[in-house]
mmCIF file of all heavy atoms in Angstrom:
data_model
loop_
_atom_site.group_PDB
_atom_site.id
_atom_site.type_symbol
_atom_site.label_atom_id
_atom_site.label_comp_id
_atom_site.label_asym_id
_atom_site.label_seq_id
_atom_site.Cartn_x
_atom_site.Cartn_y
_atom_site.Cartn_z
ATOM 1 N N LYS I 7 15.961 -12.932 18.840
ATOM 2 C CA LYS I 7 16.139 -12.313 17.504
ATOM 3 C C LYS I 7 15.695 -13.372 16.422
ATOM 4 O O LYS I 7 14.963 -13.087 15.461
ATOM 5 C CB LYS I 7 17.528 -11.849 17.148
ATOM 6 C CG LYS I 7 17.599 -11.082 15.906
ATOM 7 C CD LYS I 7 19.106 -10.535 15.745
ATOM 8 C CE LYS I 7 19.401 -9.409 16.559
ATOM 9 N NZ LYS I 7 20.743 -8.873 16.344
ATOM 10 N N SER I 8 16.189 -14.622 16.652
ATOM 11 C CA SER I 8 15.921 -15.692 15.639
ATOM 12 C C SER I 8 14.453 -15.987 15.641
ATOM 13 O O SER I 8 13.851 -16.515 14.686
ATOM 14 C CB SER I 8 16.732 -16.944 15.914
ATOM 15 O OG SER I 8 16.462 -17.434 17.178
ATOM 16 N N THR I 9 13.655 -15.885 16.838
ATOM 17 C CA THR I 9 12.310 -16.139 16.821
ATOM 18 C C THR I 9 11.447 -15.177 16.226
ATOM 19 O O THR I 9 10.460 -15.411 15.553
ATOM 20 C CB THR I 9 11.945 -16.285 18.293
ATOM 21 O OG1 THR I 9 12.716 -17.280 19.031
ATOM 22 C CG2 THR I 9 10.395 -16.647 18.489
ATOM 23 N N LEU I 10 11.824 -13.861 16.319
ATOM 24 C CA LEU I 10 11.032 -12.812 15.651
ATOM 25 C C LEU I 10 11.306 -12.642 14.232
ATOM 26 O O LEU I 10 10.309 -12.304 13.444
ATOM 27 C CB LEU I 10 11.495 -11.493 16.312
ATOM 28 C CG LEU I 10 11.036 -11.264 17.722
ATOM 29 C CD1 LEU I 10 11.685 -9.936 18.293
ATOM 30 C CD2 LEU I 10 9.525 -11.139 17.881
ATOM 31 N N ALA I 11 12.459 -13.229 13.730
ATOM 32 C CA ALA I 11 12.753 -13.033 12.250
ATOM 33 C C ALA I 11 11.739 -13.508 11.319
ATOM 34 O O ALA I 11 11.186 -12.964 10.429
ATOM 35 C CB ALA I 11 14.048 -13.614 11.932
ATOM 36 N N PRO I 12 11.148 -14.772 11.610
ATOM 37 C CA PRO I 12 10.206 -15.486 10.643
ATOM 38 C C PRO I 12 8.912 -14.640 10.683
ATOM 39 O O PRO I 12 8.143 -14.425 9.773
ATOM 40 C CB PRO I 12 9.967 -16.816 11.266
ATOM 41 C CG PRO I 12 11.179 -17.103 11.924
ATOM 42 C CD PRO I 12 11.655 -15.902 12.597
ATOM 43 N N ILE I 13 8.518 -14.051 11.844
ATOM 44 C CA ILE I 13 7.299 -13.240 11.931
ATOM 45 C C ILE I 13 7.365 -12.085 11.150
ATOM 46 O O ILE I 13 6.525 -11.628 10.495
ATOM 47 C CB ILE I 13 7.064 -12.833 13.480
ATOM 48 C CG1 ILE I 13 6.838 -14.150 14.258
ATOM 49 C CG2 ILE I 13 5.913 -11.985 13.533
ATOM 50 C CD1 ILE I 13 6.681 -13.947 15.735
ATOM 51 N N VAL I 14 8.492 -11.425 11.371
ATOM 52 C CA VAL I 14 8.763 -10.109 10.507
ATOM 53 C C VAL I 14 8.754 -10.365 9.068
ATOM 54 O O VAL I 14 8.054 -9.622 8.296
ATOM 55 C CB VAL I 14 10.171 -9.470 10.882
ATOM 56 C CG1 VAL I 14 10.456 -8.223 9.978
ATOM 57 C CG2 VAL I 14 10.037 -8.938 12.381
ATOM 58 N N ILE I 15 9.372 -11.367 8.594
ATOM 59 C CA ILE I 15 9.355 -11.792 7.317
ATOM 60 C C ILE I 15 8.003 -12.076 6.783
ATOM 61 O O ILE I 15 7.434 -11.703 5.568
ATOM 62 C CB ILE I 15 10.289 -13.001 6.950
ATOM 63 C CG1 ILE I 15 11.804 -12.491 7.177
ATOM 64 C CG2 ILE I 15 10.163 -13.505 5.476
ATOM 65 C CD1 ILE I 15 12.686 -13.714 7.254
ATOM 66 N N GLY I 16 7.233 -12.721 7.506
ATOM 67 C CA GLY I 16 5.801 -13.115 7.295
ATOM 68 C C GLY I 16 4.914 -11.892 7.065
ATOM 69 O O GLY I 16 4.139 -11.793 6.138
ATOM 70 N N LEU I 17 5.107 -10.953 7.937
ATOM 71 C CA LEU I 17 4.292 -9.689 7.861
ATOM 72 C C LEU I 17 4.726 -8.962 6.614
ATOM 73 O O LEU I 17 3.728 -8.363 5.931
ATOM 74 C CB LEU I 17 4.533 -8.943 9.140
ATOM 75 C CG LEU I 17 3.904 -9.353 10.447
ATOM 76 C CD1 LEU I 17 4.436 -8.499 11.548
ATOM 77 C CD2 LEU I 17 2.373 -9.287 10.272
ATOM 78 N N PHE I 18 6.027 -8.949 6.259
ATOM 79 C CA PHE I 18 6.491 -8.243 5.043
ATOM 80 C C PHE I 18 5.857 -8.904 3.805
ATOM 81 O O PHE I 18 5.328 -8.179 2.876
ATOM 82 C CB PHE I 18 7.941 -8.308 4.959
ATOM 83 C CG PHE I 18 8.435 -7.684 3.740
ATOM 84 C CD1 PHE I 18 8.601 -6.364 3.586
ATOM 85 C CD2 PHE I 18 8.893 -8.498 2.656
ATOM 86 C CE1 PHE I 18 8.998 -5.847 2.348
ATOM 87 C CE2 PHE I 18 9.398 -7.959 1.448
ATOM 88 C CZ PHE I 18 9.448 -6.542 1.317
ATOM 89 N N LEU I 19 5.775 -10.148 3.867
ATOM 90 C CA LEU I 19 5.222 -10.819 2.568
ATOM 91 C C LEU I 19 3.751 -10.568 2.489
ATOM 92 O O LEU I 19 3.224 -10.485 1.417
ATOM 93 C CB LEU I 19 5.494 -12.374 2.635
ATOM 94 C CG LEU I 19 6.988 -12.646 2.464
ATOM 95 C CD1 LEU I 19 7.201 -14.243 2.669
ATOM 96 C CD2 LEU I 19 7.434 -12.344 1.120
ATOM 97 N N LEU I 20 3.114 -10.645 3.655
ATOM 98 C CA LEU I 20 1.613 -10.407 3.717
ATOM 99 C C LEU I 20 1.306 -9.034 3.114
ATOM 100 O O LEU I 20 0.333 -8.878 2.352
ATOM 101 C CB LEU I 20 1.069 -10.539 5.074
ATOM 102 C CG LEU I 20 -0.436 -10.287 5.269
ATOM 103 C CD1 LEU I 20 -1.244 -11.285 4.493
ATOM 104 C CD2 LEU I 20 -0.834 -10.341 6.736
ATOM 105 N N CYS I 21 2.133 -7.955 3.613
ATOM 106 C CA CYS I 21 1.839 -6.620 3.105
ATOM 107 C C CYS I 21 2.090 -6.406 1.605
ATOM 108 O O CYS I 21 1.550 -5.642 0.805
ATOM 109 C CB CYS I 21 2.625 -5.613 3.889
ATOM 110 S SG CYS I 21 2.129 -5.471 5.609
ATOM 111 N N SER I 22 3.249 -7.277 1.089
ATOM 112 C CA SER I 22 3.653 -7.159 -0.185
ATOM 113 C C SER I 22 2.677 -7.779 -1.185
ATOM 114 O O SER I 22 2.679 -7.528 -2.401
ATOM 115 C CB SER I 22 4.948 -7.781 -0.453
ATOM 116 O OG SER I 22 5.950 -7.113 0.369
ATOM 117 N N CYS I 23 1.807 -8.701 -0.710
ATOM 118 C CA CYS I 23 0.988 -9.444 -1.629
ATOM 119 C C CYS I 23 -0.511 -8.959 -1.639
ATOM 120 O O CYS I 23 -1.326 -9.667 -2.321
ATOM 121 C CB CYS I 23 1.044 -10.944 -1.245
ATOM 122 S SG CYS I 23 2.609 -11.729 -1.462
ATOM 123 N N ASN I 24 -0.775 -7.912 -0.969
ATOM 124 C CA ASN I 24 -2.237 -7.439 -0.863
ATOM 125 C C ASN I 24 -2.630 -6.634 -2.060
ATOM 126 O O ASN I 24 -3.834 -6.175 -2.099
ATOM 127 C CB ASN I 24 -2.471 -6.707 0.393
ATOM 128 C CG ASN I 24 -1.713 -5.404 0.545
ATOM 129 O OD1 ASN I 24 -1.130 -5.024 -0.437
ATOM 130 N ND2 ASN I 24 -2.018 -4.760 1.591
ATOM 131 N N GLY I 25 -1.710 -6.372 -3.109
ATOM 132 C CA GLY I 25 -2.107 -5.624 -4.281
ATOM 133 C C GLY I 25 -2.182 -4.168 -4.238
ATOM 134 O O GLY I 25 -2.531 -3.498 -5.147
ATOM 135 N N GLN I 26 -1.819 -3.593 -3.028
ATOM 136 C CA GLN I 26 -1.815 -2.145 -2.978
ATOM 137 C C GLN I 26 -0.846 -1.802 -1.762
ATOM 138 O O GLN I 26 -0.525 -2.539 -0.904
ATOM 139 C CB GLN I 26 -3.203 -1.628 -2.634
ATOM 140 C CG GLN I 26 -3.786 -2.138 -1.279
ATOM 141 C CD GLN I 26 -5.230 -1.669 -1.158
ATOM 142 O OE1 GLN I 26 -5.960 -1.717 -2.093
ATOM 143 N NE2 GLN I 26 -5.584 -1.192 0.043
ATOM 144 N N THR I 27 -0.335 -0.517 -1.867
ATOM 145 C CA THR I 27 0.516 0.002 -0.864
ATOM 146 C C THR I 27 -0.006 1.419 -0.395
ATOM 147 O O THR I 27 -0.740 2.022 -1.125
ATOM 148 C CB THR I 27 1.946 0.074 -1.337
ATOM 149 O OG1 THR I 27 2.002 1.018 -2.456
ATOM 150 C CG2 THR I 27 2.527 -1.275 -1.774
ATOM 151 N N LYS I 28 0.367 1.814 0.723
ATOM 152 C CA LYS I 28 -0.016 3.100 1.284
ATOM 153 C C LYS I 28 1.251 3.883 1.539
ATOM 154 O O LYS I 28 2.378 3.387 1.775
ATOM 155 C CB LYS I 28 -0.756 2.963 2.529
ATOM 156 C CG LYS I 28 -2.211 2.492 2.387
ATOM 157 C CD LYS I 28 -3.043 2.599 3.630
ATOM 158 C CE LYS I 28 -4.461 2.053 3.350
ATOM 159 N NZ LYS I 28 -5.298 2.269 4.628
ATOM 160 N N ASN I 29 1.115 5.311 1.500
ATOM 161 C CA ASN I 29 2.209 6.113 1.763
ATOM 162 C C ASN I 29 2.459 6.173 3.327
ATOM 163 O O ASN I 29 1.701 5.650 4.143
ATOM 164 C CB ASN I 29 2.024 7.589 1.118
ATOM 165 C CG ASN I 29 0.986 8.325 1.804
ATOM 166 O OD1 ASN I 29 0.202 7.816 2.602
ATOM 167 N ND2 ASN I 29 0.890 9.581 1.589
ATOM 168 N N ASP I 30 3.435 6.933 3.687
ATOM 169 C CA ASP I 30 3.772 7.080 5.127
ATOM 170 C C ASP I 30 2.753 7.639 5.917
ATOM 171 O O ASP I 30 2.529 7.383 7.145
ATOM 172 C CB ASP I 30 5.060 7.920 5.344
ATOM 173 C CG ASP I 30 6.282 7.120 4.651
ATOM 174 O OD1 ASP I 30 6.211 5.939 4.505
ATOM 175 O OD2 ASP I 30 7.341 7.857 4.330
ATOM 176 N N TYR I 31 1.889 8.580 5.387
ATOM 177 C CA TYR I 31 0.805 9.246 6.158
ATOM 178 C C TYR I 31 -0.464 8.417 6.191
ATOM 179 O O TYR I 31 -1.486 8.833 6.654
ATOM 180 C CB TYR I 31 0.618 10.653 5.618
ATOM 181 C CG TYR I 31 1.866 11.525 5.702
ATOM 182 C CD1 TYR I 31 2.700 11.675 4.591
ATOM 183 C CD2 TYR I 31 2.239 12.056 6.921
ATOM 184 C CE1 TYR I 31 3.833 12.494 4.628
ATOM 185 C CE2 TYR I 31 3.407 12.854 6.943
ATOM 186 C CZ TYR I 31 4.046 13.058 5.850
ATOM 187 O OH TYR I 31 5.243 13.795 5.960
ATOM 188 N N GLN I 32 -0.463 7.298 5.468
ATOM 189 C CA GLN I 32 -1.599 6.419 5.449
ATOM 190 C C GLN I 32 -2.866 7.190 4.770
ATOM 191 O O GLN I 32 -4.038 6.796 4.936
ATOM 192 C CB GLN I 32 -2.078 6.009 6.749
ATOM 193 C CG GLN I 32 -0.988 5.136 7.443
ATOM 194 C CD GLN I 32 -0.556 3.903 6.712
ATOM 195 O OE1 GLN I 32 -1.472 2.985 6.605
ATOM 196 N NE2 GLN I 32 0.662 3.711 6.336
ATOM 197 N N ASP I 33 -2.651 8.219 3.948
ATOM 198 C CA ASP I 33 -3.687 8.908 3.323
ATOM 199 C C ASP I 33 -4.002 8.342 1.891
ATOM 200 O O ASP I 33 -5.238 8.503 1.431
ATOM 201 C CB ASP I 33 -3.337 10.350 3.160
ATOM 202 C CG ASP I 33 -3.255 11.102 4.495
ATOM 203 O OD1 ASP I 33 -3.993 10.639 5.344
ATOM 204 O OD2 ASP I 33 -2.437 11.956 4.673
ATOM 205 N N TYR I 34 -3.038 7.879 1.232
ATOM 206 C CA TYR I 34 -3.135 7.512 -0.175
ATOM 207 C C TYR I 34 -2.805 6.022 -0.392
ATOM 208 O O TYR I 34 -1.975 5.461 0.240
ATOM 209 C CB TYR I 34 -2.184 8.370 -1.051
ATOM 210 C CG TYR I 34 -2.498 9.896 -0.791
ATOM 211 C CD1 TYR I 34 -1.633 10.705 -0.210
ATOM 212 C CD2 TYR I 34 -3.769 10.306 -1.314
ATOM 213 C CE1 TYR I 34 -1.870 12.016 -0.036
ATOM 214 C CE2 TYR I 34 -3.996 11.689 -1.222
ATOM 215 C CZ TYR I 34 -3.101 12.587 -0.477
ATOM 216 O OH TYR I 34 -3.402 13.943 -0.329
ATOM 217 N N VAL I 35 -3.587 5.408 -1.406
ATOM 218 C CA VAL I 35 -3.412 4.036 -1.731
ATOM 219 C C VAL I 35 -2.806 4.045 -3.214
ATOM 220 O O VAL I 35 -3.396 4.781 -3.973
ATOM 221 C CB VAL I 35 -4.622 3.237 -1.545
ATOM 222 C CG1 VAL I 35 -4.593 1.825 -2.188
ATOM 223 C CG2 VAL I 35 -5.090 3.201 -0.149
ATOM 224 N N TYR I 36 -1.858 3.187 -3.473
ATOM 225 C CA TYR I 36 -1.293 3.061 -4.739
ATOM 226 C C TYR I 36 -1.679 1.615 -5.345
ATOM 227 O O TYR I 36 -1.346 0.700 -4.733
ATOM 228 C CB TYR I 36 0.159 3.344 -4.716
ATOM 229 C CG TYR I 36 0.562 4.608 -4.189
ATOM 230 C CD1 TYR I 36 0.642 4.908 -2.911
ATOM 231 C CD2 TYR I 36 0.979 5.685 -5.176
ATOM 232 C CE1 TYR I 36 1.028 6.245 -2.505
ATOM 233 C CE2 TYR I 36 1.304 6.924 -4.706
ATOM 234 C CZ TYR I 36 1.348 7.206 -3.331
ATOM 235 O OH TYR I 36 1.697 8.355 -2.978
ATOM 236 N N LYS I 37 -2.376 1.622 -6.443
ATOM 237 C CA LYS I 37 -2.720 0.398 -7.069
ATOM 238 C C LYS I 37 -3.224 0.686 -8.541
ATOM 239 O O LYS I 37 -3.404 1.937 -8.931
ATOM 240 C CB LYS I 37 -3.907 -0.266 -6.416
ATOM 241 C CG LYS I 37 -5.167 0.528 -6.283
ATOM 242 C CD LYS I 37 -6.277 -0.249 -5.555
ATOM 243 C CE LYS I 37 -7.559 0.573 -5.471
ATOM 244 N NZ LYS I 37 -8.655 -0.070 -4.714
ATOM 245 N N LYS I 38 -3.170 -0.330 -9.352
ATOM 246 C CA LYS I 38 -3.608 -0.206 -10.769
ATOM 247 C C LYS I 38 -5.023 0.238 -10.819
ATOM 248 O O LYS I 38 -5.883 -0.217 -10.015
ATOM 249 C CB LYS I 38 -3.310 -1.392 -11.570
ATOM 250 C CG LYS I 38 -1.843 -1.754 -11.734
ATOM 251 C CD LYS I 38 -1.676 -2.947 -12.651
ATOM 252 C CE LYS I 38 -0.164 -3.251 -12.769
ATOM 253 N NZ LYS I 38 0.051 -4.503 -13.595
ATOM 254 N N GLY I 39 -5.354 1.023 -11.901
ATOM 255 C CA GLY I 39 -6.760 1.454 -11.998
ATOM 256 C C GLY I 39 -6.993 1.865 -13.486
ATOM 257 O O GLY I 39 -6.529 1.150 -14.405
ATOM 258 N N ASP I 40 -7.782 2.897 -13.669
ATOM 259 C CA ASP I 40 -7.986 3.439 -15.068
ATOM 260 C C ASP I 40 -6.707 3.847 -15.696
ATOM 261 O O ASP I 40 -5.857 4.508 -15.100
ATOM 262 C CB ASP I 40 -9.039 4.717 -14.790
ATOM 263 C CG ASP I 40 -9.623 5.079 -16.044
ATOM 264 O OD1 ASP I 40 -8.867 5.457 -16.991
ATOM 265 O OD2 ASP I 40 -10.837 4.947 -16.175
ATOM 266 N N PRO I 41 -6.713 3.601 -16.998
ATOM 267 C CA PRO I 41 -5.446 4.073 -17.803
ATOM 268 C C PRO I 41 -5.276 5.542 -17.829
ATOM 269 O O PRO I 41 -4.192 6.010 -18.011
ATOM 270 C CB PRO I 41 -5.682 3.424 -19.239
ATOM 271 C CG PRO I 41 -7.142 3.112 -19.248
ATOM 272 C CD PRO I 41 -7.531 2.767 -17.847
ATOM 273 N N ASN I 42 -6.418 6.343 -17.547
ATOM 274 C CA ASN I 42 -6.392 7.736 -17.527
ATOM 275 C C ASN I 42 -5.979 8.283 -16.097
ATOM 276 O O ASN I 42 -6.043 9.593 -15.923
ATOM 277 C CB ASN I 42 -7.488 8.368 -18.042
ATOM 278 C CG ASN I 42 -7.766 7.953 -19.501
ATOM 279 O OD1 ASN I 42 -7.110 8.394 -20.370
ATOM 280 N ND2 ASN I 42 -8.843 7.156 -19.798
ATOM 281 N N GLY I 43 -5.817 7.372 -15.149
ATOM 282 C CA GLY I 43 -5.504 7.764 -13.807
ATOM 283 C C GLY I 43 -4.020 7.566 -13.511
ATOM 284 O O GLY I 43 -3.351 6.990 -14.335
ATOM 285 N N ILE I 44 -3.593 8.024 -12.263
ATOM 286 C CA ILE I 44 -2.206 7.967 -12.008
ATOM 287 C C ILE I 44 -1.848 6.714 -11.021
ATOM 288 O O ILE I 44 -0.684 6.622 -10.669
ATOM 289 C CB ILE I 44 -1.740 9.258 -11.335
ATOM 290 C CG1 ILE I 44 -2.350 9.565 -10.047
ATOM 291 C CG2 ILE I 44 -1.908 10.435 -12.255
ATOM 292 C CD1 ILE I 44 -1.852 10.684 -9.235
ATOM 293 N N GLY I 45 -2.866 5.904 -10.822
ATOM 294 C CA GLY I 45 -2.564 4.732 -9.893
ATOM 295 C C GLY I 45 -2.572 5.203 -8.492
ATOM 296 O O GLY I 45 -1.992 4.398 -7.642
ATOM 297 N N LYS I 46 -2.929 6.404 -8.070
ATOM 298 C CA LYS I 46 -3.045 6.899 -6.724
ATOM 299 C C LYS I 46 -4.507 7.047 -6.374
ATOM 300 O O LYS I 46 -5.216 7.818 -7.058
ATOM 301 C CB LYS I 46 -2.099 7.995 -6.571
ATOM 302 C CG LYS I 46 -2.076 8.664 -5.161
ATOM 303 C CD LYS I 46 -1.033 9.819 -5.283
ATOM 304 C CE LYS I 46 -0.775 10.537 -3.965
ATOM 305 N NZ LYS I 46 0.023 11.601 -3.952
ATOM 306 N N TRP I 47 -4.894 6.609 -5.173
ATOM 307 C CA TRP I 47 -6.249 6.726 -4.793
ATOM 308 C C TRP I 47 -6.417 7.430 -3.504
ATOM 309 O O TRP I 47 -5.591 7.319 -2.606
ATOM 310 C CB TRP I 47 -6.832 5.264 -4.646
ATOM 311 C CG TRP I 47 -6.785 4.455 -5.835
ATOM 312 C CD1 TRP I 47 -5.675 3.938 -6.468
ATOM 313 C CD2 TRP I 47 -7.926 3.985 -6.625
ATOM 314 N NE1 TRP I 47 -5.984 3.338 -7.631
ATOM 315 C CE2 TRP I 47 -7.461 3.308 -7.752
ATOM 316 C CE3 TRP I 47 -9.321 4.229 -6.499
ATOM 317 C CZ2 TRP I 47 -8.206 2.644 -8.698
ATOM 318 C CZ3 TRP I 47 -10.192 3.514 -7.450
ATOM 319 C CH2 TRP I 47 -9.663 2.868 -8.565
ATOM 320 N N TYR I 48 -7.615 8.227 -3.416
ATOM 321 C CA TYR I 48 -7.783 9.016 -2.180
ATOM 322 C C TYR I 48 -9.265 8.797 -1.728
ATOM 323 O O TYR I 48 -10.119 9.058 -2.600
ATOM 324 C CB TYR I 48 -7.522 10.488 -2.359
ATOM 325 C CG TYR I 48 -7.798 11.286 -1.160
ATOM 326 C CD1 TYR I 48 -7.147 11.113 0.136
ATOM 327 C CD2 TYR I 48 -8.793 12.335 -1.232
ATOM 328 C CE1 TYR I 48 -7.506 11.837 1.262
ATOM 329 C CE2 TYR I 48 -9.066 13.117 -0.082
ATOM 330 C CZ TYR I 48 -8.443 12.829 1.103
ATOM 331 O OH TYR I 48 -8.632 13.623 2.207
ATOM 332 N N ILE I 49 -9.486 8.210 -0.592
ATOM 333 C CA ILE I 49 -10.878 7.849 -0.132
ATOM 334 C C ILE I 49 -11.725 7.102 -1.240
ATOM 335 O O ILE I 49 -12.826 7.437 -1.565
ATOM 336 C CB ILE I 49 -11.618 9.129 0.347
ATOM 337 C CG1 ILE I 49 -10.691 9.985 1.263
ATOM 338 C CG2 ILE I 49 -12.934 8.774 1.091
ATOM 339 C CD1 ILE I 49 -11.315 11.193 1.819
ATOM 340 N N GLY I 50 -11.135 6.155 -1.850
ATOM 341 C CA GLY I 50 -11.721 5.307 -2.867
ATOM 342 C C GLY I 50 -11.847 5.882 -4.225
ATOM 343 O O GLY I 50 -12.435 5.258 -5.155
ATOM 344 N N ARG I 51 -11.198 7.035 -4.504
ATOM 345 C CA ARG I 51 -11.177 7.588 -5.924
ATOM 346 C C ARG I 51 -9.851 7.714 -6.342
ATOM 347 O O ARG I 51 -8.855 8.183 -5.726
ATOM 348 C CB ARG I 51 -11.897 9.131 -5.739
ATOM 349 C CG ARG I 51 -11.725 9.841 -7.069
ATOM 350 C CD ARG I 51 -12.151 11.238 -6.838
ATOM 351 N NE ARG I 51 -11.383 12.020 -6.011
ATOM 352 C CZ ARG I 51 -10.181 12.624 -6.311
ATOM 353 N NH1 ARG I 51 -9.739 12.600 -7.533
ATOM 354 N NH2 ARG I 51 -9.453 13.357 -5.424
ATOM 355 N N GLU I 52 -9.691 7.243 -7.689
ATOM 356 C CA GLU I 52 -8.355 7.329 -8.336
ATOM 357 C C GLU I 52 -8.247 8.830 -8.898
ATOM 358 O O GLU I 52 -9.041 9.379 -9.524
ATOM 359 C CB GLU I 52 -8.302 6.338 -9.539
ATOM 360 C CG GLU I 52 -6.921 6.438 -10.092
ATOM 361 C CD GLU I 52 -6.624 5.310 -11.269
ATOM 362 O OE1 GLU I 52 -7.722 4.760 -11.666
ATOM 363 O OE2 GLU I 52 -5.532 5.151 -11.490
ATOM 364 N N ILE I 53 -7.010 9.308 -8.661
ATOM 365 C CA ILE I 53 -6.627 10.654 -9.117
ATOM 366 C C ILE I 53 -6.387 10.683 -10.575
ATOM 367 O O ILE I 53 -5.672 9.738 -11.025
ATOM 368 C CB ILE I 53 -5.477 11.152 -8.303
ATOM 369 C CG1 ILE I 53 -5.883 11.294 -6.820
ATOM 370 C CG2 ILE I 53 -4.947 12.556 -8.836
ATOM 371 C CD1 ILE I 53 -4.736 11.505 -5.870
#
């Protein structure tokens, strides 16, 4: 358990620092964009 903990923490930090997040179904990306958009993206297009 103590060996795996740093790996898990490292993966969490890596995912947290990539500037975007995905939903559970991996269909949508959330990131900043156009002020007239909602910050949710689908196949490269902001909604």
Side-chain angles (χ1 to χ4, degrees):
K7 187 180 289 186
S8 62
T9 300
L10 288 173
I13 297 174
V14 173
I15 293 171
L17 288 172
F18 175 79
L19 291 173
L20 179 63
C21 293
S22 299
C23 295
N24 66 1
Q26 62 186 41
T27 59
K28 289 189 175 182
N29 71 345
D30 293 339
Y31 300 101
Q32 302 296 301
D33 293 328
Y34 302 110
V35 172
Y36 297 83
K37 61 181 180 179
K38 290 183 179 180
D40 192 295
N42 297 293
I44 65 172
K46 182 178 181 180
W47 301 66
Y48 179 61
I49 312 184
R51 173 186 62 85
E52 186 175 13
I53 298 167

